[in-house]
Amino acid sequence: MEQPPSASEEAARNFLKLIKQLLQEKAYEGVKMLFQSPNEAARNLQHLPLIAMDIYEDICVPSLEDEVNVEQPELFDCANELLRLVAQYYFSLEELMLELMEKIEESSSIAVFSAYMRALQVVLQRQGDQKPQAVEWCLQSVSSRLKECPLPGFLSEGYDEAAGRLLEQNQQVEDLMAFYITIDLFYKPLLAEILTTGASVTSIFRNCGLTRRNAFTCFYVQLMGKPLALLEMGYVRDELTHKYVHQVVKSLTEAVCSCLSDPFYLLGLVEQRARWQRKLDAEKGVYEMSSQNMFLIEEKMPLYAVAMFYHALLVGNLLPPKAPKIYQPLYLFETGLYLVSVLLEQVEPPLQHCGLRLLEHLMTNTLANSGVIVPCSSLQLDVHKRLCESLCKIVGYSPQVSLRQVGLHVLRKYVLAFDHEGKYFVLKNLIETLQHDGLLGYLASMYKDLVDQAMCLTASELPLVFSGKQFREMLLLCLCVLPQDVKSDLLLHSDRICNALNILRYFAIRDLSNDTGFWHFLPEIEERLIQPLGKALDFSLAHYKAYKERVENGQSSSDDALMQKQLKMLAVNISNSGMASGDGLDNNLPDIGREEKLDVLSSSITSLESLLGLYLRANECIEQSLRNRQQQQRQISPSSN
Amino acid sequence: MPEESKKIDLSNDGGVLKEILKEGTGTETPNNGSKVSLHYTGRLVDGTEFDSSVSRNEPFEFELGKGRVIKAFDMGVATMKLGERCFLTCAPNYAYGAAGSPPSIPPDSTLIFELEMLGWKGEDLSPNQDGSIERTILEQSEKKRTPSDGAFVKAHISGSFEGRVFEERDVEFDYGEGSAINLIEGLEIALEKINVGETSKIKIQSKYAFGLKGNEAFKIPPNATVEYTVKLNDCGKGLEEWKLSDAERIDEAKVYKEKGTNYFKKENWSLAIKMYNKCKNLLPNTADTNEEVKKLKIATHSNIALCHQKSNDNFDAKQECNAVLALDANNVKALYRRGQCNLIINELDEALDDFQKVIELEPGNKAAANHVLICKQKIKETKDKEKKLYANMFTKLAAHDKETEPIRETDVLSKCGEWSEEDAKREAELTLERDNVIMI
């Protein structure tokens, strides 16, 4: 048997009827008065726990729609205010949380999203430190909604500085920023509350399990990932205009810092996550999500988002003044490398850009400003290999010119950050493992410059890595650049050959006193570079000249395969310089006419001739220096006798 | 100089001086590698405070002796007892050196830290961070290399339970294959994070040690926590997959296949599967164009299937056979093995199909012919059983129907001619009940 309604229930029902009546009459101010006027509020608010559910279902849900927002904005605002009251008085927090989570994920516009976010804020404030799992789910639904925001395609493909400056003029980016700003308004009071309640906790060690504070920390870090991270390519240090992107990044960074207290705390966990893969084992209950330290779970705290946090903190100059200053710069550098690698390994150019900037900061500000030189022993960490691989991939093959340029600059700085031995091993490993011809040539000339520098300082006592056995190994690596001896494709490897000849000429002229041991190794170089290259140049020139003649006489069809190869090479160069359309290369290039063929052949012959010029010049230098050395020796020997 | 005499010279060159303000309790001090929690305040000699955990309202945590913090800090904290408070005076070469740390610390600064030790704990190396594997470093190493998968490891281990040493030996093995030399899992997990040259004490709870069974030979009871002291003498380089060309990958995969076969011969099925899986993962994705890769993949899946069969894991074995058959639909071995698995897991029709296909491909295959007979027999038996079962079921149901028929609700209707309100209500409630039953 149904109980007759009590007097208070009756009153509550009547009050609900009154609200509905007022809304029907569009007396929105009247509804407002019911809760805002002190006398009315005192009488009416007591009814809310009983009718909150009805207000939510009958008024809020149908009114908080885009259509209503456009056609009856006053009704929308009124429903928005009522929803906030519902959140304050609804008796079952869990039930309302579930409702709000669903509505937030489904929200079709920023207006609807922010209405439900306001309510969620109140609910989470009421929830306090209780049931952090529920809090985490709520925050998860906010992140999920954010990922649904449509983004302009160029964000994940990369954009240049000029486009970066105009980024926020794009409608979709503007809408996205509105979501972020709403979220910012949502978490600010909650954060303040977390920080005040957290202050009373006096445990010796940080609790890294699931707590409200940690759930929020993970949430902030997640927000620093995509899509926000894709907007940071246009970051310019000390820029005068303050973009919304930077304001949001700043606000999130500050939030993470205040939750962590020590902003470098997460760095200690980075190595644990990036260096050692957690071995999952169902038998022992080791799953992706089973770690008792929630900062170690990728889904809760994605490593690339952690990297973006440190990018903002260091590159964006957002380190709080109270941050600890007792960390070793080398530790910060080495741990930072894991994060840089993670960013460089991402497919989106904006994230790679952030990775490069972070690496540059680590080298310039963290190391160089503290006068720290990275010792060779640091290379025992595998992260260096990982970093070199991804960095060189960008420098050699990224379709973005600016990335390749910054990448090369950073690669150079990275090599120079080590001590002599470290520089040597990095260069040697790179030259041994890389395939990119231009990059190999660049690194070889870098080694030459390092030897030159060392010779200028202490020619007679060169470090071990710049003379003798180790110098020989490196010299042969730099100079022996004909992979198939005489049959090597000289045009394909022209960059490297050019560099090799320059290095050869340099040492022939510079090291007359044989401090490096260069002249001891000359016979080997003769055998492995000079002789085969001479022959290869003769063959190639003769071949191309004959080919050109056949084209001129219209008898070239048998050589078309070679021509295709040449054109492909040309096309690869074009795509590397960022001029390709982006569709990738066709395997079969269209047939070209006679004139074009002749052009290609002429340019090939010119390249070969310039190589030949360099080759002859290097030989001349060697001969001249040999004569000089003999002369010197003759001058020395009578006096020594 | 009574004031100076109170200062303890920690670096033996006057670079790090400690002055105790309040004695700590006990005699223990934290070992290297421990996670330490403390409060500190750093000041320049003129009294300017440049850094303080107190002002951040939270203790500072770091791993001791790992080069995380400036040298003087590592040295000083390592000598502190629980609850101790002290001043640490640090010369520039033990702090920020000639360069300082602009803007807060000028070049060549001597610093004074006030420290208060709050506590420390061993480093948690367990995969779930539940304290089941805990390390304390006894002897630090300057080297940074640690064993990675496949690296050759040389170590000295000594295991103890309640102070009694139960095993002490030198071990040499390929990382990832520790169980072949009876190395407990927890120790192998810990070794991954030990630097070459380091000696550490590892406390391992039973789930990563001898488990519920304990170990009779070592006199370890069930559910026992054991302690190992391990010195990592050397480790080679692990497999650097990213550097490998396709040809090198194939060569490496062959090595792992060989290892798998060795473990198979020793009847160590789990390690054999581990090695075969490594072999499989190393193979390049060129099975469709490269015949050698295809053959290796087929052989590996087939061997994994056999290992699973041997360890009575017929579902996994069937999956591996499916993988073989996806590459080579007429692979007799895989068909035969899958047939066996199907037979055991009672997928009799599928088993029959497999064995019949084997006979189709190899008409003289007697084993398959026998299995076809077994399958047919079993199918017949099952059908007979089912027949009996259903026959019984129908008889019973029929009997039941007869019994219940007189009380059916339709009788009420026939008697009354039409439903009364009460009847309707009862019917509605019954429907509701039925719905609930269905829902459950």
Side-chain angles (χ1 to χ4, degrees), chain A residues 45-317:
Chain A
L45 285 175
Q46 55 171 323
H47 300 312
L48 274 177
L50 289 171
I51 53 167
M53 176 74 165
D54 299 296
I55 295 180
Y56 176 75
E57 280 179 356
D58 300 346
I59 302 169
C60 300
V61 175
S63 306
L64 290 170
E65 293 284 346
D66 283 328
E67 211 173 290
V68 180
N69 189 28
V70 175
E71 286 164 11
Q72 305 175 68
E74 296 91 347
L75 173 60
F76 187 92
D77 291 343
C78 189
N80 192 351
E81 289 307 319
L82 283 172
L83 179 62
R84 206 171 155 80
L85 285 168
V86 166
Q88 275 168 17
Y89 291 96
Y90 201 100
F91 61 91
S92 164
L93 277 178
E94 287 80 8
E95 204 179 302
L96 188 58
M97 266 184 194
L98 282 172
E99 280 288 335
L100 294 175
M101 278 161 67
E102 199 184 320
K103 293 290 174 202
I104 284 168
E105 280 188 45
E106 287 171 357
S107 56
S108 50
S109 67
I110 183 70
V112 178
F113 177 76
S114 48
Y116 286 108
M117 286 293 277
R118 284 178 81 215
L120 184 65
Q121 183 188 61
V122 176
V123 169
L124 292 184
Q125 277 174 321
R126 282 177 66 194
Q127 181 82 5
D129 283 329
Q130 304 299 308
K131 297 189 182 165
Q133 181 69 76
V135 175
E136 197 192 7
W137 285 335
C138 289
L139 298 178
Q140 204 55 53
S141 63
V142 178
S143 308
S144 306
R145 174 60 187 89
L146 202 56
K147 282 181 189 138
E148 294 299 311
C149 291
L151 296 175
F154 66 85
L155 283 189
S156 46
E157 287 154 17
Y159 44 93
D160 58 19
E161 206 174 301
R165 283 181 196 279
L166 295 172
L167 208 58
E168 288 179 7
Q169 311 304 315
N170 179 294
Q171 187 57 49
Q172 284 175 324
V173 174
E174 201 181 305
D175 292 346
L176 178 70
M177 291 326 295
F179 273 90
Y180 271 105
I181 290 163
T182 307
I183 295 171
D184 188 79
L185 294 169
F186 154 77
Y187 71 70
K188 281 275 162 70
L190 286 160
L191 176 64
E193 203 179 280
I194 290 170
L195 295 176
T196 29
T197 52
S200 57
V201 180
T202 51
S203 61
I204 294 175
F205 290 99
R206 176 188 298 272
N207 176 4
C208 293
L210 180 55
T211 62
R212 178 163 74 141
R213 184 175 182 151
N214 291 346
F216 267 92
T217 312
C218 291
F219 174 62
Y220 299 138
V221 173
Q222 277 175 32
L223 289 179
M224 298 195 77
K226 281 179 256 185
L228 184 66
L230 298 175
L231 305 174
E232 288 199 67
M233 189 156 167
Y235 172 82
V236 181
R237 202 169 180 159
D238 303 326
E239 201 176 23
L240 292 173
T241 51
H242 275 275
K243 291 189 191 137
Y244 283 123
V245 177
H246 300 142
Q247 284 175 35
V248 170
V249 169
K250 185 171 180 244
S251 175
L252 285 170
T253 310
E254 282 167 359
V256 180
C257 287
S258 37
C259 279
L260 288 174
S261 166
D262 168 6
F264 294 114
Y265 181 80
L266 294 177
L267 277 183
L269 305 172
V270 163
E271 188 183 33
Q272 206 170 331
R273 285 179 56 178
R275 185 173 175 189
W276 296 290
Q277 291 255 312
R278 213 165 138 247
K279 291 184 180 80
L280 305 180
D281 181 356
E283 254 179 55
K284 296 207 161 56
V286 183
Y287 305 101
E288 292 278 356
M289 307 284 274
S290 63
S291 178
Q292 290 184 18
N293 183 338
M294 69 186 291
F295 300 140
L296 292 178
I297 300 172
E298 176 67 18
E299 200 176 300
K300 298 190 179 189
M301 195 166 264
L303 212 47
Y304 88 93
V306 176
M308 289 308 297
F309 163 65
Y310 282 103
H311 172 265
L313 196 70
L314 301 173
V315 181
N317 209 11

Side-chain angles (χ1 to χ4, degrees), chain B residues 340-374:
Chain B
Q340 286 178 315
C341 296
N342 278 327
L343 194 61
I344 294 172
I345 60 176
N346 244 359
E347 296 284 0
L348 299 173
D349 290 326
E350 284 182 33
L352 184 64
D353 286 347
D354 286 337
F355 291 124
Q356 278 173 339
K357 180 116 196 242
V358 173
I359 294 172
E360 208 177 284
L361 294 165
E362 262 182 23
N365 193 322
K366 280 185 186 166
N370 283 338
H371 272 94
V372 167
L373 288 178
I374 296 171

